[in-house]
């Protein structure tokens, strides 16, 4: 079945719709948790939660980039026995290495806990009220991480098998636990709120994992035990995707840890809270990407490079315009909206909102055009560009905070890095169109 037929099939549209709905559900849950936690517990507990979940997000991203490509590229073409062998082998490898990782991280967390609690009389602050606040967040985030990694693998496997409806049901249970956790946390002391929410997220991940596992078992009979040599086959396939995922996380989230170490967690809370307001645009772009990623390769065959660029440019401009309108609406309703949602004032709200707005408009423009590069298989170029943008962004963030030691200085590096990324994507796209013929099958390569 070619891409056009696939897009036209009702099963594919239903699959994509469920996948986008699941992503929307998770984004809505994250928004709700962040908003309620910020309102009930305050800036510092909210910042602790953001940093913890972003660290978990790094582990999930690396696993998805490492194990996702072999499942996405191989599963659709394998018979049932081959699918079961691949998924079962990868699941066994994941469990094997997670046991090692659990031992190492538990020892590191124990050392940190002993160090943090050794000065119990001096480490507590007026906000946390306990020297155990940060160690508890650390232990709970480790629990969330290991539970989530198992869950995310099963999600990937079912999505590769086009069982998005099963994933949606499991994600609903996960979101229900997570939101219930933040509602429960509002009845406790602020320093206890992040651990309670993280424990609820871990419970949601366990419950969701069981639903996903049951659905997977209905599709495949998984063999027991590890398969020697399987990881050696996966490593060449996942090299660029994993390094790209790590760089992308550093680019989008790494600056928060730099800000926390330099200016404190209150600035992290201001940055993360303002970015929450742009989450609907991030969701829209992600949902659109779920449709454009498989479609771009088919359009390339049909339209050629120049034709694909014209089509993606139109979509890109539309996405940028919608994002700009959203930012303008937020700017108009800024004061009543932020007061209603957060109760507590955020320093330099207008500057942050405009800066994040510019970043997301740029992302809306370059993400859609960038699918031309992925359709051509130019992953190496994209990875190198992300590396350059990451270094520029982090360096700009450091220089900005030295020049202006508040949230505005921290945002300077983010804006510079995103501007460089947009220019870099435009240069790569223009070069790809000029150097390539109208259509060249040899230029269409797969990450495999």
């Amino acid at each position: 079945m070619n891409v056009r037929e696939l897009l036209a099939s009702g099963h594919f549209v239903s699959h994509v719709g469920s996948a986008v709905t699941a992503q929307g559900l998770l984004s809505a849950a994250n928004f709700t948790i962040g908003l309620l936690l910020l309102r009930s517990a305050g800036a510092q507990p909210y910042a602790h939660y953001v940093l913890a979940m972003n660290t978990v997000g790094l582990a999930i991203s690396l696993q998805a980039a490492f194990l996702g490509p072999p499942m996405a590229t191989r599963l659709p073409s394998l018979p049932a026995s081959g699918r079961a062998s691949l998924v079962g082998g990868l699941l066994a490898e994941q469990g094997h290495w997670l046991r090692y990782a659990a031992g190492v991280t538990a020892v590191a967390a124990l050392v940190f806990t002993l160090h943090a609690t050794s000065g119990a009389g001096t480490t507590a602050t007026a906000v946390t009220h306990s020297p155990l606040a940060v160690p508890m967040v650390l232990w709970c985030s480790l629990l969330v991480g290991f539970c989530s990694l198992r869950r995310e693998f099963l999600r990937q496997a079912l999505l590769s098998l086009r069982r998005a409806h099963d994933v949606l049901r499991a994600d609903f249970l996960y979101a229900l636990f997570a939101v219930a956790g933040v509602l429960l946390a509002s009845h406790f002391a602020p320093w206890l709120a992040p651990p309670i929410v993280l424990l609820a997220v871990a419970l949601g991940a366990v419950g969701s994992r069981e639903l996903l596992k049951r659905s997977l078992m209905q599709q495949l009979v998984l063999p027991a035990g590890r398969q020697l040599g399987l990881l050696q086959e996966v490593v060449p396939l996942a090299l660029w995707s994993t390094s790209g995922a790590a760089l992308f996380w550093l680019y989008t989230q790494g600056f928060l840890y730099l800000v926390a170490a330099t200016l404190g967690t209150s600035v992290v809370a201001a940055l993360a809270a303002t970015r929450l307001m742009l989450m609907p645009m991030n969701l829209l772009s992600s949902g659109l990407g779920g449709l454009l990623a498989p479609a771009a390769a088919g359009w390339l065959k049909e339209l050629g490079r120049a034709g694909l660029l014209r089509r993606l440019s139109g979509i890109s401009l539309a996405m940028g315009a919608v994002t700009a309108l959203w930012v303008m609406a937020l700017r108009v309703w800024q004061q009543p909206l932020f007061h209603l949602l957060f109760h507590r004032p955020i320093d330099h709200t207008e500057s942050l909102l405009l800066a994040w707005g510019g970043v997301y408009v740029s992302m809306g423009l370059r993400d859609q055009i960038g699918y031309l590069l992925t359709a051509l298989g130019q992953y190496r170029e994209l990875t190198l560009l992300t590396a350059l943008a990451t270094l520029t962004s982090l360096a700009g963030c450091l220089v900005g905070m030295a020049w202006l030691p508040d949230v505005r200085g921290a945002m300077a590096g983010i804006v510079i890095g995103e501007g460089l990324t947009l220019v870099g994507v435009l240069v790569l796209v223009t070069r790809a169109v000029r150097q390539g013929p109208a259509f060249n099958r040899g230029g269409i390569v797969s990450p495999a």
Side-chain angles (χ1 to χ4, degrees):
M1 180 181 290
N2 60 36
V3 175
R4 175 183 285 184
E5 292 170 344
L6 192 62
L7 288 171
S9 68
H11 177 71
F12 177 79
V13 173
S14 176
H15 170 76
V16 172
S18 294
V20 172
T21 303
Q23 184 61 45
L25 179 67
L26 295 178
S27 296
N30 289 334
F31 177 82
T32 303
I33 292 168
L35 178 61
L36 294 179
L37 188 59
L38 186 60
R39 291 182 61 174
S40 62
Q44 187 167 346
Y46 170 68
H48 288 165
Y49 170 79
V50 168
L51 294 173
M53 288 303 294
N54 282 346
T55 305
V56 172
L58 171 61
I60 291 174
S61 297
L62 294 178
Q63 175 182 273
F66 190 83
L67 299 180
M71 287 196 292
T73 57
R74 295 182 183 179
L75 280 183
S77 60
L78 289 175
S81 59
R83 294 178 183 181
S85 178
L86 178 60
V87 174
L90 291 177
L91 189 61
E93 290 293 341
Q94 186 209 40
H96 173 76
W97 290 103
L98 279 182
R99 285 189 287 272
Y100 280 103
V104 173
T105 53
V107 171
L110 181 60
V111 171
F112 175 83
T113 301
L114 293 174
H115 175 73
T117 55
S118 61
T122 59
T123 55
T125 67
V127 178
T128 61
H129 299 293
S130 173
L132 292 175
V134 174
M136 286 181 66
V137 170
L138 174 61
W139 282 101
C140 291
S141 62
L142 289 177
L143 180 62
V144 171
F146 287 109
C147 293
S148 297
L149 287 172
R150 299 293 280 181
R151 167 181 175 266
E152 287 296 328
F153 176 84
L154 296 173
R155 285 184 86 253
Q156 279 187 287
L158 285 168
L159 287 174
S160 298
L161 293 169
R162 300 201 179 280
R163 302 295 301 178
H165 301 307
D166 296 334
V167 172
L168 178 58
R169 285 192 291 269
D171 284 351
F172 179 79
L173 178 65
Y174 172 83
L176 193 63
F177 269 92
V179 174
V182 75
L183 293 175
L184 177 65
S186 63
H187 299 288
F188 291 83
W191 70 271
L192 279 171
I196 291 173
V197 177
L198 290 170
L199 286 175
V201 171
L203 287 174
V206 171
S208 173
R209 183 191 67 195
E210 291 305 310
L211 286 181
L212 294 168
K213 186 176 181 180
R214 187 181 308 170
S215 299
L216 184 62
M217 292 301 183
Q218 292 173 354
Q219 300 296 314
L220 302 172
V221 180
L222 302 181
R226 300 174 62 193
Q227 299 176 29
L228 297 180
L230 182 59
L231 283 187
Q232 285 81 349
E233 297 179 23
V234 171
V235 168
L237 191 67
L239 177 62
W240 286 110
S241 59
T242 305
S243 58
L247 288 169
F248 186 74
W249 182 89
L250 279 175
Y251 176 58
T252 57
Q253 308 296 341
F255 70 94
L256 290 175
Y257 299 85
L258 198 61
V259 171
T262 306
L263 300 180
T265 53
S266 61
V267 179
V268 172
L271 289 168
T274 314
R275 186 165 64 173
L276 269 179
M277 307 310 298
L278 277 299
M279 187 175 288
M281 295 300 100
N282 185 48
L283 172 61
L284 179 60
S285 181
S286 298
L288 191 58
L291 292 170
L292 289 180
W299 289 341
L300 180 63
K301 295 179 181 180
E302 177 185 340
L303 305 172
R305 299 188 183 194
L308 177 58
L309 176 59
R310 286 192 294 270
R311 179 167 293 184
L312 292 179
S313 296
I315 298 172
S316 172
L317 290 174
M319 185 66 206
V322 170
T323 306
L325 289 173
W326 179 262
V327 174
M328 290 172 60
L330 289 177
R331 175 65 184 84
V332 171
W333 296 96
Q334 169 192 321
Q335 292 185 354
L337 183 62
F338 275 65
H339 177 74
L340 174 66
L341 294 178
F342 302 128
H343 285 328
R344 297 173 176 83
I346 297 176
D347 293 336
H348 309 293
T349 305
E350 183 173 357
S351 298
L352 282 177
L353 186 59
L354 292 176
W356 277 123
V359 167
Y360 274 82
V361 169
S362 174
M363 289 171 60
L365 292 171
R366 53 103 170 159
D367 281 352
Q368 320 314 320
I369 295 179
Y371 288 112
L372 185 145
L373 300 174
T374 59
L376 292 170
Q378 296 187 3
Y379 300 100
R380 178 178 178 274
E381 290 80 357
L382 287 171
T383 300
L384 293 176
L385 174 61
T386 304
L388 178 61
T390 300
L391 292 174
T392 303
S393 180
L394 294 179
C397 191
L398 280 173
V399 173
M401 288 187 293
W403 168 60
L404 196 62
D406 57 33
V407 290
R408 295 170 295 177
M411 276 300 305
I414 304 168
V415 173
I416 293 171
E418 180 53 40
L420 176 63
T421 305
L422 176 61
V423 172
V425 168
L426 292 175
V427 169
L428 290 176
V429 166
T430 303
R431 188 179 66 180
V433 172
R434 288 179 177 174
Q435 290 181 350
F439 169 61
N440 177 15
R441 291 186 182 273
I444 306 171
V445 296
S446 163

